Amino acid sequence: MKKLTKKRKILTTLIKKNHIYSIQESIILLKKTTTKKFIESLDVSINLGINPKKSDQNIRNTTLLPHGTGKIKKVAVFTQGENEKLAKNYGADIVGLEDLIEQIKNKKIYFDIAIATPDVMSSVGKIGSILGPRGLMPNPKLGTITNKLKYAIQNAKSGQIFYKNDKNGIIHATIGKINFSEKKIQENLHALLTSLKKSKPKQSKGTYIQKIVISTTMSPGIKIDLSTINNV
């Protein structure tokens, strides 16, 4: 039998298996169990009452977290001409087209979010097989194919996250860092849940948000009592 580490013993003592905690209790517990070696990310998994095998029930969207994720995101913009200068002025970290595409073909990806203007999508499409699997392919439904570069770049920099359900109908997202205040964590979670509710497929029947589990990078998941979260 595998010997429990000191860290694991502490976690199993504090967090009771299969117990359901209020959102406030969950945050307090996670703060108690966090490591001092680095500031852990705060992650949430949300089980939805959808049938992921049906394309009209799959969810893919973005939302703006009021307090961001705690991570500085690097934004790349595919564009040309005058828009290159504008994108740089608006805060994009990487701007280009053919040169940027060539770097990506050589497996050099140094950004977290990709934005493109509509006029260059025929070129960007050539690297769709590289960007797609990484969730980096610009998409008009997500606001990442646009001529409104200032708005798109500012959103990407200020806490916009992308989410989609996996094959089991579960949404996985990072909603901040464990050193965020309890209020900021709850407000970020509320923003995600509000966005999810708006994204509910008409074909989805029964309870939509079925289960929420919150955790840090190194902790086990804590199941949250849905009645302790407003507007679930």
Side-chain angles (χ1 to χ4, degrees), residues 154-223:
Q154 287 180 346
N155 275 354
K157 288 280 189 178
S158 61
Q160 181 173 299
I161 61 169
F162 163 75
Y163 61 85
K164 66 177 180 178
N165 62 270
D166 64 14
K167 63 180 181 180
N168 297 310
I170 302 173
I171 296 287
H172 302 278
T174 296
I175 57 168
K177 295 282 188 178
I178 194 58
N179 64 340
F180 281 21
S181 69
E182 182 183 320
K183 183 180 179 182
K184 287 183 177 181
I185 292 170
Q186 289 197 55
E187 288 178 350
N188 273 0
L189 177 58
H190 177 73
L192 174 58
L193 293 175
T194 299
S195 178
L196 271 174
K197 285 180 67 179
K198 291 178 180 178
S199 301
K200 180 181 178 180
K202 293 180 180 178
Q203 297 78 8
S204 174
K205 305 298 180 183
T207 303
Y208 179 51
I209 295 179
Q210 300 182 335
K211 178 181 174 183
I212 299 177
V213 175
I214 194 168
S215 65
T216 63
T217 307
M218 304 297 289
S219 80
I222 298 178
K223 188 175 179 180

Side-chain angles (χ1 to χ4, degrees), residues 8 10 16 27 47 56 73-74 81 85 89-90 92 124 132 137 147 153 157 162 164 177 180 183 195 202 232:
R8 180 57 60 177
I10 295 172
K16 299 174 184 177
I27 296 170
N47 293 56
D56 60 1
K73 293 191 175 183
K74 289 190 175 181
K85 183 179 179 181
N89 289 339
Y90 294 145
V124 178
M137 188 65 184
N147 282 315
I153 294 168
K157 288 280 189 178
F162 163 75
K164 66 177 180 178
K177 295 282 188 178
F180 281 21
K183 183 180 179 182
S195 178
K202 293 180 180 178
V232 174

Side-chain angles (χ1 to χ4, degrees), residues 139-157:
N139 185 318
K141 292 182 179 179
L142 302 178
T144 48
I145 296 180
T146 179
N147 282 315
K148 297 179 179 179
L149 291 178
K150 182 178 181 179
Y151 178 78
I153 294 168
Q154 287 180 346
N155 275 354
K157 288 280 189 178

Side-chain angles (χ1 to χ4, degrees), residues 58-180:
N58 277 272
I59 292 172
R60 180 185 176 93
N61 206 348
T62 63
T63 192
L64 195 61
L65 300 181
H67 307 291
T69 61
K71 178 183 177 182
I72 298 173
K73 293 191 175 183
K74 289 190 175 181
V75 178
V77 176
F78 294 92
T79 192
Q80 58 188 351
E82 184 64 23
N83 279 329
E84 289 191 51
K85 183 179 179 181
L86 290 174
K88 289 177 182 177
N89 289 339
Y90 294 145
D93 299 283
I94 304 169
V95 181
L97 186 56
E98 296 302 337
D99 54 336
L100 182 51
I101 289 172
E102 202 56 40
Q103 288 178 40
I104 293 169
K105 285 181 179 178
N106 292 324
K107 299 181 179 179
K108 294 179 180 179
I109 298 179
Y110 306 118
F111 54 88
D112 304 297
I113 298 173
I115 296 168
T117 48
D119 58 309
V120 301
M121 280 308 298
S122 58
S123 297
V124 178
K126 296 174 184 177
I127 51 172
S129 60
I130 301 174
L131 297 180
R134 293 174 171 81
L136 295 172
M137 188 65 184
N139 185 318
K141 292 182 179 179
L142 302 178
T144 48
I145 296 180
T146 179
N147 282 315
K148 297 179 179 179
L149 291 178
K150 182 178 181 179
Y151 178 78
I153 294 168
Q154 287 180 346
N155 275 354
K157 288 280 189 178
S158 61
Q160 181 173 299
I161 61 169
F162 163 75
Y163 61 85
K164 66 177 180 178
N165 62 270
D166 64 14
K167 63 180 181 180
N168 297 310
I170 302 173
I171 296 287
H172 302 278
T174 296
I175 57 168
K177 295 282 188 178
I178 194 58
N179 64 340
F180 281 21

